[in-house]
Amino acid sequence: MNLIFLGPPGAGKGTQSEGICRDYGTIQLSTGDILRENRKTGTELGQKAESYMIDGELVPDEIIIDMIKQEMRKPELAAGYLLDGFPRTVPQAKAFDALLSQLGQKLDCVLVLNVPNQELVARLTSRRTCRSCGKTYHLMFKPPLAEGICDLDGGELYQRKDDVEETVINRLSVYENQTKPLIDYYQKQGLAKVIDGVGKLDEVYARLKAVLD
Ligand code: ADP
Ligand code: ADP
């Protein structure tokens, strides 16, 4: 299955991707994770992206489209993929459609996770992220077993610089203006499925599973 996961920052895309990839054999491709990895290792791509990411702005389309073209070459994606955080603008979605037809692939579904802004702010400002594997936690809703330590690999949990309130508010308006039009874009292709992202983690997962099944 080839899937796109759409939704505002903090909607739970990364969190719910785990279950989807486990149950449906898809590979998660998170553009945010790839960019953060590039920043960590100091690549040219990481350096180009850094200032945009710190301010909660989008990295320019050309950079992202080049990056996704590289990523889509990976042979393991033949099993099916789940794109998390891409596309984020209409030009990115159009470039991706062109790439899909070049590769002879098609999308099966665009999952749109809906959560109101007030809850997104509460989720993001208390989000903690593993420095080594990128897995996310929440101080109240999804705490790690041991404080400050990732359950999976023992990595240090930190607060992303763009998860402070001021930047979160900017990211939500960037989503509203630049990414939300994609819902309509994929609705016109008959691919978008809107899902309520409010509720316990397993309740939201059950809604996603009902759509995918
Ligand atoms: P996204 O990938 O969409 O930006 P995440 O999956 O990282 O979002 O989730 C954002 C934050 O909200 C994390 O701290 C996560 O633990 C928490 N979270 C995810 N789903 C829920 C939920 N259903 N209820 C409460 N908190 C949630
Ligand atoms: P979240 O889901 O919490 O918003 P991401 O990890 O997806 O966060 O993205 C973090 C940052 O990385 C974004 O604010 C943006 O600067 C950059 N980024 C990630 N994906 C894209 C994309 N497809 N287009 C442009 N910028 C992106």
Side-chain angles (χ1 to χ4, degrees):
M1 239 183 334
N2 297 332
L3 306 169
I4 286 178
F5 217 162
L6 208 62
K13 303 181 297 296
T15 304
Q16 299 292 348
S17 291
E18 272 180 43
I20 297 175
C21 291
R22 181 194 60 222
D23 291 347
Y24 298 91
T26 48
I27 305 281
Q28 184 206 17
L29 206 59
S30 157
T31 44
D33 284 350
I34 298 166
L35 291 168
R36 277 185 291 280
E37 194 54 38
N38 275 275
R39 281 175 60 189
K40 202 161 77 179
T41 52
T43 65
E44 197 187 330
L45 169 63
Q47 285 166 20
K48 279 189 197 158
E50 186 160 83
S51 63
Y52 301 100
M53 294 175 77
I54 289 172
D55 292 343
E57 296 293 333
L58 294 182
V59 176
D61 286 336
E62 317 82 72
I63 297 179
I64 298 290
I65 292 165
D66 278 351
M67 181 179 106
I68 213 81
K69 281 184 183 160
Q70 295 289 332
E71 292 292 325
M72 292 297 291
R73 288 192 189 149
K74 290 186 173 162
E76 63 267 31
L77 297 182
Y81 48 81
L82 172 59
L83 294 177
D84 169 3
F86 176 89
R88 255 184 159 95
T89 63
V90 171
Q92 288 183 19
K94 287 186 174 162
F96 191 61
D97 277 345
L99 183 62
L100 283 173
S101 65
Q102 227 176 41
L103 297 170
Q105 295 177 2
K106 66 174 194 54
L107 287 170
D108 294 290
C109 184
V110 175
L111 300 162
V112 184
L113 213 45
N114 245 346
V115 175
N117 279 3
Q118 202 185 347
E119 168 131 2
L120 294 170
V121 174
R123 286 188 187 184
L124 289 170
T125 52
S126 295
R127 171 161 71 178
R128 295 294 180 269
T129 304
C130 175
R131 227 181 251 292
S132 63
C133 73
K135 185 178 165 72
T136 60
Y137 298 85
H138 188 277
L139 294 179
M140 275 176 312
F141 307 133
K142 195 183 179 230
L145 297 172
E147 199 185 317
I149 296 171
C150 178
D151 296 351
L152 284 187
D153 63 5
E156 178 206 0
L157 301 186
Y158 79 111
Q159 181 176 35
R160 276 169 47 182
K161 280 214 179 81
D162 58 344
D163 278 347
V164 298
E165 187 159 347
E166 193 192 335
T167 313
V168 163
I169 288 167
N170 186 41
R171 284 159 67 204
L172 293 178
S173 89
V174 166
Y175 175 79
E176 201 67 35
N177 296 324
Q178 302 195 54
T179 309
K180 222 174 173 183
L182 291 183
I183 302 176
D184 189 45
Y185 180 89
Y186 287 115
Q187 248 154 4
K188 287 192 176 125
Q189 294 189 17
L191 288 170
K193 298 275 182 223
V194 180
I195 293 130
D196 178 11
V198 179
K200 295 208 178 87
L201 296 179
D202 53 353
E203 290 168 353
V204 176
Y205 187 62
R207 290 177 207 141
L208 288 163
K209 210 166 169 355
V211 166
L212 293 174
D213 286 345

